[in-house]
Amino acid sequence: MQRLAKSWQRTGVGVGLVPTMGYLHAGHLSLVQRASRLVGKSGKVVVSIYVNPTQFGPKEDFSRYPRDFARDAKLCRAAGVDVIFAPSNDEMYPRNDNGDFSTYVTEAQLSPGMEGASRPTHFRGATTLVAKLFNIVLPTVAVFGAKDYQQAAVVKRMVRDLNFPLKIDVAPIFREADGLAMSSRNKYLVGDLRNQAVVLSRAIQRVQAAVRKNSRPLLGTKLRADLKRFVESEPAARLDYVEFFDPQTLAPISKVARGSHMALAVYLGKTRLIDNARL
Ligand code: AMP
């Protein structure tokens, strides 16, 4: 992959990278479309498909994460993707069983809250993998989804801090007709869990409506208590966190108003879903 990327680099074509964990859906494909548009006709689009073990916690769903390479490859071909980069664990973390992989990238400012608080080693794994992908694929632009808002902010900061020579583009969240944000993990939502999962986007709409109706800021603590009740009125739902924060710095906001950003994580049974939006 790196050899091919270097040959592209010599000819000066644009290269767009869309990092994914596979089991592709329309949200991923919207990122591919953006990458194609950004690099133009002469450019190349690479989709990486890799379920990265270092961004999963020991009790998380790494081993059962949905995988279907044949289906992903078909979708990529239909979407005009030039190369699928799907490395093995041995290629990405050689001889890791012996502790032979020991270099990690840690973003320290934006990572600790929200997803980082619930999943302590998650961002270290994600930034390390993304840094490796940037060094292997040598993209001129990489496209990430706003679905993982904090991740996009962390990656942007890493690129700025470590002088990676590329642009980061962030695509809007692609949703099902009823508002559920598309996610490979939605496959886990069998039976009534799928209906209950709409509660994440409904929670966002509830706060958006409240913020729009009130000219004065709303107290985050009150909103949080109301949302816990609202979310957990679904029998299988348990609120992991809801946070209100500055969209640039991710600093928590106690007085919530239009322009604040909101993110939440909810367990539906064993499945953990996330969503976010500008208020
Ligand atoms: P994943 O395969 O879940 O790691 O996601 C790969 C990339 O696709 C990440 O940048 C995600 O933010 C993005 N993505 C996942 N779901 C969506 C969605 N529903 N809308 C937009 N982007 C998404």
Side-chain angles (χ1 to χ4, degrees), residues 247-258:
Q248 256 69 50
T249 64
L250 308 192
I253 286 175
S254 54
K255 290 178 179 170
V256 181
R258 265 188 112 113

Side-chain angles (χ1 to χ4, degrees), residues 197-216:
V198 185
V199 78
L200 282 91
S201 59
R202 294 256 165 84
I204 289 171
Q205 287 161 6
R206 188 176 170 88
V207 181
Q208 280 173 334
V211 162
R212 268 152 219 196
K213 208 173 68 194
N214 287 278
S215 49
R216 269 183 283 164

Side-chain angles (χ1 to χ4, degrees), residues 217-224 243-245 251-256:
L218 304 168
L219 280 179
T221 47
K222 277 199 172 161
L223 286 172
R224 198 172 284 125
E243 195 59 80
F244 306 98
F245 56 91
I253 286 175
S254 54
K255 290 178 179 170
V256 181

Side-chain angles (χ1 to χ4, degrees), residues 18-22 24-25 27-28 30-31 55 65 143-149 151 171-175 181-185:
V18 179
T20 82
M21 299 203 297
L24 303 179
H25 52 66
H28 294 119
S30 75
L31 271 52
Q55 70 191 63
Y65 194 84
V143 185
F144 290 82
K147 164 83 193 317
D148 298 272
Y149 190 88
Q151 171 178 271
I173 301 179
F174 215 81
R175 295 178 182 279
M182 288 196 185
S183 163
S184 307
R185 288 192 170 97

Side-chain angles (χ1 to χ4, degrees), residues 28-237:
H28 294 119
L29 298 177
S30 75
L31 271 52
V32 170
Q33 251 177 30
R34 276 175 88 96
S36 301
R37 194 158 40 75
L38 287 165
V39 298
K41 269 214 164 72
S42 62
K44 304 289 183 185
V45 173
V46 178
V47 169
S48 63
I49 297 180
Y50 182 59
V51 185
N52 174 33
T54 65
Q55 70 191 63
F56 286 78
K59 291 188 182 140
E60 292 180 0
D61 57 345
F62 171 71
S63 54
R64 67 185 191 109
Y65 194 84
R67 294 162 168 90
D68 188 343
F69 184 77
R71 180 171 161 277
D72 289 346
K74 256 192 202 160
L75 289 170
C76 284
R77 194 165 302 131
V81 169
D82 294 282
V83 172
I84 298 172
F85 177 58
S88 68
N89 288 335
D90 279 348
E91 286 171 305
M92 291 308 266
Y93 301 104
R95 297 173 303 278
N96 197 21
D97 292 350
N98 301 337
D100 272 5
F101 185 92
S102 55
T103 306
Y104 291 88
V105 179
T106 310
E107 190 289 321
Q109 182 76 32
L110 308 174
S111 302
M114 297 191 279
E115 287 303 287
S118 288
R119 310 178 69 191
T121 57
H122 171 68
F123 284 121
R124 181 180 94 144
T127 42
T128 301
L129 190 262
V130 168
K132 284 168 70 69
L133 291 175
F134 289 172
N135 285 330
I136 295 166
V137 179
L138 306 174
T140 52
V141 60
V143 185
F144 290 82
K147 164 83 193 317
D148 298 272
Y149 190 88
Q150 188 180 9
Q151 171 178 271
V154 166
V155 168
K156 275 192 205 161
R157 178 65 64 90
M158 178 191 83
V159 162
R160 192 189 78 184
D161 287 352
L162 298 184
N163 310 87
F164 280 96
L166 80 158
K167 279 210 175 68
I168 300 299
D169 179 68
V170 181
I173 301 179
F174 215 81
R175 295 178 182 279
E176 303 283 357
D178 65 1
L180 175 65
M182 288 196 185
S183 163
S184 307
R185 288 192 170 97
N186 292 351
K187 179 182 161 58
Y188 300 142
L189 302 173
V190 292
D192 192 54
L193 290 179
R194 171 63 187 83
N195 296 325
Q196 296 184 41
V198 185
V199 78
L200 282 91
S201 59
R202 294 256 165 84
I204 289 171
Q205 287 161 6
R206 188 176 170 88
V207 181
Q208 280 173 334
V211 162
R212 268 152 219 196
K213 208 173 68 194
N214 287 278
S215 49
R216 269 183 283 164
L218 304 168
L219 280 179
T221 47
K222 277 199 172 161
L223 286 172
R224 198 172 284 125
D226 169 72
L227 284 172
K228 186 170 164 62
R229 267 193 307 274
F230 179 73
V231 166
E232 296 184 353
S233 68
E234 294 293 347

